[in-house]
Amino acid sequence: QTVVTQEPSLTVSPGGTVTLTCASSTGAVTRGYNANWFQQKPGQAPRSLIYNTNNKHSWTPAQFSGSLLGGKAALTLSGVQPEDEAEYYCLLYCDGAWVFGGGTKLTVL
Amino acid sequence: QVQLVQSGTEVKKPGASVKISCKASGYTFTSYHIHWVRQAPGQGLEWMGIINPGSGVTNYAQKFQGRVTMTRDTSASTVYMDLSSLTSEDTAVYYCARELNIEWTYWGQGTLVTVSS
């Protein structure tokens, strides 16, 4: 069973830039892993932000972007705002199954 | 607008089964896959499986094989997730989510299932 790993926590200052990553235990993440990224705030359902590595939904704020970086999927937040404080999850498609990362708790401080 | 509306909170005893519904509206029901994802208290998201509402074809995560059944009622635009042999470790919020061509989009509001004797 593939294990997907994210940073457990990150802290960023308001207005700053932060990159969250998503690694697969099977090797380098490529576009074929179809990475999706989600934001979840306490007590709420997850909200989809990015699909297929770097594609945004119509509702995805402009400061969010997805990419591949050093063999991992990555989510970059630019010009971070206090309301971006949340848990972020990546999701990879691995050998016919979807696997979530453990999540990154992003603190804006 | 697209909505996925799930059934309400459930409390079950160990060994019982639970059936949760996810009613879709605002789009062509049979054109999009529905996934089920759960989240135990204070924990991360866990993928359980997928159903194609058009064909009824399912694919379950290995962990839940033999214990989960996903079905659909096209006349009611509703997908169901049945989980059997419940234990306390199945206590979680269960979500349905829509996907097509690897693009995950809308999520249901979640259904809390508590398993307790």
Side-chain angles (χ1 to χ4, degrees):
Chain A
Q1 165 94 21
T2 303
V3 176
V4 177
T5 302
Q6 300 181 244
E7 298 87 358
S9 63
L10 290 170
T11 300
V12 61
S13 300
T17 297
V18 64
T19 297
L20 290 63
T21 67
C22 176
S24 169
S25 62
T26 59
V29 175
T30 64
R31 288 197 68 88
Y33 282 73
N34 302 320
N36 280 254
W37 288 91
F38 306 92
Q39 177 193 65
Q40 187 179 36
K41 296 183 177 180
Q44 296 183 15
R47 179 171 77 135
S48 301
L49 291 176
I50 299 289
Y51 65 97
N52 194 15
T53 303
N54 60 354
N55 291 279
K56 299 181 185 182
H57 300 288
S58 58
W59 57 80
T60 304
Q63 72 261 35
F64 290 87
S65 62
S67 64
L68 295 176
L69 196 64
K72 301 178 184 180
L75 176 70
T76 299
L77 287 72
S78 306
V80 172
Q81 302 173 21
E83 56 265 33
D84 296 328
E85 185 164 292
E87 192 86 22
Y88 291 84
Y89 293 93
C90 69
L91 173 65
L92 302 180
Y93 187 67
C94 310
D95 293 329
W98 291 91
V99 183
F100 282 96
T104 296
K105 181 174 175 55
L106 182 66
T107 300
V108 181
L109 203 58
Chain B
Q1 74 280 24
V2 174
Q3 281 194 300
L4 297 175
V5 179
Q6 300 182 222
S7 49
T9 298
E10 301 269 8
V11 179
K12 296 293 182 180
K13 294 209 182 301
S17 296
V18 67
K19 190 169 187 175
I20 303 168
S21 66
C22 172
K23 182 172 177 59
S25 62
Y27 70 96
T28 302
F29 175 68
T30 52
S31 295
Y32 293 81
H33 304 146
I34 293 290
H35 295 260
W36 289 92
V37 174
R38 77 177 186 179
Q39 186 171 38
Q43 303 300 309
L45 302 173
E46 182 175 31
W47 181 74
M48 299 181 68
I50 177 179
I51 182 168
N52 179 331
S55 63
V57 172
T58 56
N59 181 25
Y60 304 139
Q62 193 171 1
K63 175 177 178 176
F64 299 100
Q65 297 251 3
R67 211 159 65 89
V68 70
T69 304
M70 297 177 190
T71 57
R72 92 291 193 208
D73 179 348
T74 54
S75 67
S77 298
T78 300
V79 168
Y80 301 92
M81 191 281 295
D82 195 314
L83 188 63
S84 63
S85 303
L86 294 170
T87 72
S88 58
E89 295 190 351
D90 294 313
T91 293
V93 176
Y94 290 76
Y95 294 100
C96 60
R98 192 186 86 163
E99 175 262 331
L100 183 66
N101 296 332
I102 67 164
E103 179 182 354
W104 287 58
T105 48
Y106 298 97
W107 292 64
Q109 83 276 17
T111 296
L112 175 62
V113 175
T114 301
V115 183
S116 174
S117 55

